[in-house]
Amino acid sequence: MSDKAILKIGDKEVELPIIRGTLGDPAIDITRLRDLTGHVAYDPSLANTAICKSAITFVDGERGILRYRGIPIDQFIEKPNFVEVAWLLIFGRLPTKEELSRFSAKLTENELLHEGLRLQYQHMPVDAPPMAILSAMLNNLACFHQQLLWVGDEESLEAAAARLISKVRTIAAFAYRRSQGLPFIYPDPHLRYCANFLHMMFSLPYKQYIVSPEVEDALNLLFILHADHEQNCSTMTVRTVGSARANLFASCAAGVCALWGPLHGGANVEVMDMLERIHAGGLTPEECIRMAKDKTNPFRLYGFGHRIYKNYDPRARILKDTCEKVFAQLKVQDPLLDIARKLEELALSDPYFIERRLYPNVDFYSGILLRAIGIPKNMFTVCFAIGRLPGWIAQWREQHEDPTSRIVRPRQVYIGPVEAKYVPMSERTAAT
Ligand code: SDX
């Protein structure tokens, strides 16, 4: 295996080192490319660029593999415990029983919002997008927990992580309650993580929501499957903001904004819109496939395709199986699951999708499971964010503790005017 690449520009040759991780693609180290050649590399969506060395998550897109700290995700299915996986991602190993109960106790301690934060909901429009509220309130935590604006040791990191991971549920549930004109239900310190979130979402005064074990397991698993995914768009955003030494609350709030996009976490809402349109008779699965292939049509088959997975997204496979299991356990049916299966069958047998290696991704079935749990569509991407938060914290921490990390500041290929003159207003025309 070669340990260097030779780059020839004109009659000049330079050697660039090749670095290898424990798994995955080897990388050509171009950190000295400009010094050595006077050239920069061009890779606008960073599809061919490693922006860091990371030990958190490994994705093999060709083989459909996803591992958290080396553990394949299907090993979390049996007894899904989202808090345990959050700890694993952030602290690098599975917690002991004592560590897990201590971290769970910290989450309980931090489940309430400061009353000043809660009162801000009164001024929110009832139809405010929950993702807008989520990013605003996560950033707002910096106002009420200023002692955690600086995170520089394990203790303060754990304190900040506990506040974020615990309060994100309360923030999300309060956004939903506000939108429904319902009284806020405070967190119950006797409930486990997911049960408490569903309690805050669905309990009514004097009518406690009791979560079934099947639903609690399904939500734990759904959050686990969303917990991290190496250097995706929102994680890259968190790292970029964090690279300027911005605080953890601001960095995660920025991650929420990136995740909101329909090409990223917002796709789970787009998938549900698509399935509902088909179910309502406004569209057929065949028309969906045809529109998705039509380059003159902006329509995409949401929930399909992935920058890294050129095989079935392992999360989609688990979510599809979980939908079927939970439906059987709850003795419910959802015609949207049949429609999703039909769309998948049509796409996976269509040359357009086969040639481009487009498969279902994490967003294709997640909405159907959330809907079965009773989560409304406008909260789907918020649930993605709740799941992804530990991953963002873990990646932010890894970057903060990397002594070689520097502020993210890419170069560009400039295509603007070479030089222009300032034209006084009196001499300006539309053409100048
Ligand atoms: C997530 O990166 C992550 O890890 C993200 C994520 C995570 O956990 O963080 O996995 C979560 O964001 C999953 C993706 C959710 N987004 C969607 O489902 C939106 C629909 N998918 C596409 O928009 C697209 O597949 C992306 C955005 C997911 C990936 O975009 P790429 O890598 O830039 O791929 P591309 O647009 O260059 O597509 C390559 C070809 C193009 O056709 P040609 O130009 O070669 O003719 O495939 C086509 C695309 O037009 N294509 C699709 C398609 N996805 C790709 N055509 C129709 N429908 C689609 N869904």
Side-chain angles (χ1 to χ4, degrees), residues 38 42 83 89 92 115 153 155 218 239 252 268 360 401 410 427:
Y42 182 65
V83 173
L89 289 169
E115 281 295 281
D153 56 29
E155 193 187 338
R239 277 183 172 260
C252 291
N268 56 20
E401 292 178 356
E427 297 167 27

Side-chain angles (χ1 to χ4, degrees), residues 171-191:
I171 290 169
F174 283 10
Y176 170 65
R177 302 292 288 201
R178 167 82 181 148
S179 75
Q180 301 299 305
L182 290 171
F184 286 12
I185 296 290
Y186 281 85
D188 177 343
H190 305 101
L191 294 177

Side-chain angles (χ1 to χ4, degrees), residues 54 56-61 64-68 73 89 223-236 239 259 264 305-310 312-316 361-363 384 387-392 394-395:
S54 180
I56 299 169
T57 293
F58 175 68
V59 176
D60 181 327
I65 288 173
L66 171 56
R67 296 176 189 155
Y68 293 155
I73 50 161
L89 289 169
F223 285 155
I224 288 170
L225 295 175
H226 286 81
D228 194 52
H229 211 242
E230 56 154 85
Q231 306 311 316
N232 59 83
C233 179
S234 51
T235 299
M236 169 69 191
R239 277 183 172 260
L259 189 73
H264 192 13
H306 199 276
R307 175 63 57 79
I308 307 287
Y309 288 121
K310 300 308 172 192
Y312 213 104
D313 183 332
R315 302 168 296 177
N361 61 50
V362 68
D363 292 306
F384 192 145
R388 185 51 53 90
L389 192 54
W392 287 338
Q395 299 272 351

Side-chain angles (χ1 to χ4, degrees), residues 285-333:
E286 291 73 13
E287 281 166 344
C288 264
I289 298 295
R290 187 181 48 70
M291 288 196 306
K293 292 159 58 177
D294 175 359
K295 293 300 173 189
T296 64
N297 190 324
F299 180 86
R300 307 212 102 176
L301 188 61
Y302 284 96
F304 253 77
H306 199 276
R307 175 63 57 79
I308 307 287
Y309 288 121
K310 300 308 172 192
N311 200 326
Y312 213 104
D313 183 332
R315 302 168 296 177
R317 195 187 304 283
I318 294 171
L319 284 165
K320 181 179 176 182
D321 295 346
T322 307
C323 283
E324 287 157 359
K325 197 172 113 194
V326 167
F327 285 1
Q329 288 164 339
L330 300 181
K331 297 182 179 47
V332 296
Q333 280 295 332

